[in-house]
Amino acid sequence: MSSNRNGRSLNRRGFLQLSALGAGAAALAPQASLAAADTTNPYKEIDKGDSDLLEATIADLQAAMTSGSLTSKELTRRYIQRVYALNEQGPTLRAVIQLNPDALKIAEALDTERRKSGPRGPLHGIPIMVKDNIDTADGMFTTAGSLALLGSRPTQDSTMARKLREAGAVLLGKTNLSEWANFRSTRSSSGWSGRGRQCRNPYVLTHNPCGSSSGSAVAVSANLCTVALATETDGSIVCPAHQNGVVGIKPTVGLTSRAGVVPISHSQDTIGPHARTVRDAAIVLGALVGVDSRDAATAASQGKFQTDYTKYLDSNGLKGARIGVARKGNLFGYSPEADEIVEEAIKVMAAQGAIIVDPADLSNIDEINSSSDELTVLLYEFKADLNAYLATREKDPNYASNGFFPRSLADLIAINNQLAADEMPYFGQELFELAEAKGPLTEKEYLDALANNRRRGGKEGLDAVLDKFNLDALVAPTGTPAWPTDLLNSDHFLGASSSPAAIAGYPLVTVPAGFSYELPVGITFMGRAYSEPTLIKLAYAFEQATKVRRAPRYVPTLDLP
């Protein structure tokens, strides 16, 4: 069992704490009033000039572009203006790490194509942000938030970027993240990177956006883009989604290609959307799926992926559905505020005709929580996968004389030491060092841990409880309301529900469920491998019954009574 520099035991639960790897609404929003929030908020007028853009869905924007009242170029320009107004000034969200210098040109070309031959599909002309660990072979960098990667570039688009371009999307920019997807230090602050610095929660600016896909969730929530791409190893899509009041879909591992994405773990990494509605998230997911020769894991998705997940959207989708409530093992109980909101959410589902099985616990959840096998697998795979990824990059001619060109994890450790004042002012690189000490993927320690993870998360975990109670899905709180950002003492992480699905490679969907003291709380729907159609149906029906999502107000600080 590994330990951090303070001697804390790094079991699976401890690792999650350290890394945090996206009836009616009134019944779902128990909250105490924020004292004088409206009168003390200096940013309350910030969105006034964008009333028609705020909370606009893909369908809204497509209708406007079809009617001719809006062009993709104008839409892209307005999002860029919002980034300038909100990202580095005003509330200073630091959600966007770089804008695409070609975005307006791309949007203009797509407008011309629309006039000549019509739209390619629902994403034609839609501005989309992508997380800064997703390769784009264009005028933007791909750095995983690290200054160490500014001297090198990917040689080609990631498969995800290519698919978005083929769908007619405008790649608007790169979003900030927890550097290296929160796999550098045991004492990180979620949403902090050397390039982007600390990303902020748009609901309460002193509070944390969670990570690692912090910027993607914040950009969507603050209406800096329509939708965004995020990545998850364990919690990095669903936690930022829940803490920033948006929808997050974490797909089955292999449903979306990881080719050209800065890796942590080929066993657990997956790419999915952040959106303000389940429908928009489903639209994006349909554009991402498919077998990819660059990622062997996608072969298993043949015959299981759908290019149109919107056909599963059903406002009556909860009727007759069997929903289990996973309580045991710190899936509930770590946050009274989150518990209260999710208890009300369960009542809503029952009122919508769902059959609630409560409790429906994973019998081995304590074994999952106490095991260090997840961290063991991630350490081994991070070293192997990152070294393989770095070999695909080439020197950036603009930085060839003064930029770094790392070819291995060992190189990155040395570079971080050279750049310590900028890269490690608050926390170190203990996870890098632990990973570098690991051997090849043939070692028994790794193979045993990997087998244990798959068995515990899948056959003996989620599959077992879903079979036992004949369930369509499990639900639990996604996590706590956002904690205050603390660069010196790291994240104040109390609990989450993402790990069983993470170690099994299974899907999750999180949807806004309520607010506590101005801070959003989400509910997670968990299912079997490739059960995205079912989870999307259930999440959409819940969303339509509650309509909890509301735009952030950039409250400066939480003034608790």
Side-chain angles (χ1 to χ4, degrees):
M1 184 176 291
S2 303
S3 62
N4 67 17
R5 67 186 179 190
N6 291 330
R8 271 193 287 178
S9 172
L10 280 182
N11 60 18
R12 192 218 60 81
R13 175 60 61 182
F15 165 69
L16 268 186
Q17 180 177 352
L18 296 168
S19 64
L21 300 171
L28 293 177
Q31 57 181 307
S33 297
L34 228 149
D38 287 332
T39 58
T40 62
N41 179 5
Y43 311 116
K44 64 180 179 178
E45 301 295 322
I46 206 159
D47 291 325
K48 204 167 187 180
D50 272 327
S51 58
D52 59 332
L53 181 62
L54 294 183
E55 304 296 284
T57 66
I58 291 173
D60 294 334
L61 297 173
Q62 288 295 348
M65 287 187 282
T66 297
S67 72
S69 62
L70 180 69
T71 64
S72 177
K73 184 177 181 179
E74 174 62 15
L75 175 62
T76 301
R77 184 188 66 79
R78 291 176 65 185
Y79 276 135
I80 290 171
Q81 288 179 328
R82 286 186 62 78
V83 171
Y84 281 121
L86 298 173
N87 199 64
E88 294 299 328
Q89 55 185 324
T92 319
L93 297 176
R94 298 194 187 97
V96 180
I97 211 167
Q98 185 175 15
L99 286 167
N100 186 351
D102 299 319
L104 289 171
K105 182 173 66 175
I106 293 168
E108 186 173 28
L110 288 165
D111 286 332
T112 299
E113 181 181 331
R114 180 188 292 269
R115 289 192 298 270
K116 289 182 176 179
S117 56
R120 301 181 194 181
L123 292 182
H124 190 108
I126 299 296
I128 296 181
M129 296 278 189
V130 299
K131 188 176 176 181
D132 184 42
N133 60 352
I134 298 174
D135 284 352
T136 57
D138 55 17
M140 295 185 287
F141 295 103
T142 304
T143 67
S146 172
L147 301 173
L149 288 188
L150 281 174
S152 67
R153 285 185 175 274
T155 58
Q156 61 180 317
D157 272 344
S158 62
T159 299
M160 294 296 92
R162 175 180 61 79
K163 282 181 171 287
L164 289 178
R165 294 189 205 274
E166 290 173 350
V170 178
L171 297 190
L172 180 60
K174 294 288 183 76
T175 56
N176 199 5
L177 70 161
S178 307
E179 188 176 304
W180 296 106
N182 235 355
F183 203 75
R184 197 194 83 188
S185 174
T186 58
R187 295 183 54 79
S188 66
S189 172
S190 289
W192 187 95
S193 71
R195 275 191 74 200
R197 315 316 277 183
Q198 181 63 55
C199 186
R200 304 172 82 181
N201 190 303
Y203 287 89
V204 180
L205 298 175
T206 53
H207 282 56
N208 197 269
C210 202
S212 64
S213 304
S214 50
S216 296
V218 172
V220 170
S221 188
N223 288 269
L224 305 183
C225 58
T226 313
V227 289
L229 287 197
T231 70
E232 175 157 329
T233 305
D234 189 336
S236 287
I237 291 175
V238 295
C239 184
H242 123 88
Q243 287 194 188
N244 296 284
V246 298
V247 174
I249 298 179
K250 178 252 182 180
T252 303
V253 171
L255 185 68
T256 55
S257 173
R258 290 84 50 84
V261 177
V262 182
I264 292 179
S265 160
H266 61 264
S267 296
Q268 294 186 202
D269 290 352
T270 187
I271 294 86
H274 280 148
R276 291 184 291 272
T277 68
V278 175
R279 180 179 292 277
D280 281 1
I283 289 171
V284 176
L285 182 61
L288 303 180
V289 299
V291 175
D292 179 19
S293 61
R294 295 174 62 194
D295 183 353
T298 61
S301 73
Q302 183 67 56
K304 299 171 184 173
F305 64 82
Q306 307 285 329
T307 57
D308 180 10
Y309 285 93
T310 64
K311 63 187 178 183
Y312 299 104
L313 301 175
D314 180 359
S315 59
N316 295 314
L318 284 164
K319 188 174 182 179
R322 294 182 59 84
I323 308 293
V325 182
R327 295 185 178 276
K328 183 182 175 185
N330 207 36
L331 298 184
F332 276 76
Y334 52 83
S335 168
E337 295 81 11
D339 285 356
E340 182 179 3
I341 288 168
V342 173
E343 296 291 2
E344 292 298 321
I346 293 167
K347 294 177 183 177
V348 170
M349 288 187 278
Q352 293 295 309
I355 301 165
I356 305 298
V357 179
D358 186 4
D361 293 322
L362 282 74
S363 62
N364 65 344
I365 189 64
D366 291 337
E367 184 181 4
I368 292 173
N369 288 343
S370 63
S371 173
S372 61
D373 285 334
E374 181 181 17
L375 179 57
T376 296
V377 168
L378 299 189
L379 291 171
Y380 272 97
E381 292 189 357
F382 181 67
K383 179 181 179 180
D385 295 354
L386 184 61
N387 286 346
Y389 168 82
L390 290 172
T392 69
R393 294 175 68 104
E394 63 184 7
K395 285 186 177 180
D396 186 331
N398 297 317
Y399 281 79
S401 61
N402 60 359
F404 296 101
F405 188 46
R407 307 303 280 169
S408 68
L409 176 58
D411 289 348
L412 289 171
I413 292 171
I415 292 168
N416 284 340
N417 285 330
Q418 292 180 61
L419 299 175
D422 292 315
E423 278 289 347
M424 299 191 292
Y426 307 115
F427 49 87
Q429 54 181 340
E430 306 90 86
L431 291 175
F432 271 24
E433 292 161 352
L434 288 170
E436 177 59 25
K438 294 299 185 184
L441 300 185
T442 54
E443 290 197 356
K444 186 176 186 299
E445 179 188 41
Y446 164 74
L447 295 172
D448 287 349
L450 179 61
N452 289 340
N453 282 348
R454 285 290 192 249
R455 170 178 54 82
R456 290 184 186 127
K459 182 179 179 180
E460 296 177 1
L462 288 166
D463 289 337
V465 68
L466 291 166
D467 287 343
K468 179 180 178 180
F469 296 107
N470 189 28
L471 299 174
D472 294 294
L474 291 173
V475 294
T478 309
T480 65
W483 55 85
T485 293
D486 186 345
L487 289 168
L488 297 181
N489 297 303
S490 74
D491 289 339
H492 301 271
F493 184 88
L494 299 178
S497 55
S498 60
S499 287
I503 62 176
Y506 286 7
L508 301 171
V509 178
T510 187
V511 183
F515 286 83
S516 176
Y517 296 103
E518 195 76 17
L519 295 166
V521 170
I523 186 171
T524 288
F525 294 81
M526 317 172 211
R528 308 171 188 275
Y530 303 106
S531 65
E532 284 82 359
T534 297
L535 299 184
I536 287 169
K537 179 181 72 171
L538 299 174
Y540 178 77
F542 174 77
E543 174 194 57
Q544 295 305 297
T546 57
K547 297 188 183 297
V548 166
R549 158 75 191 174
R550 66 172 184 246
R553 300 189 300 152
Y554 320 107
V555 174
T557 190
L558 196 61
D559 186 9
L560 295 176

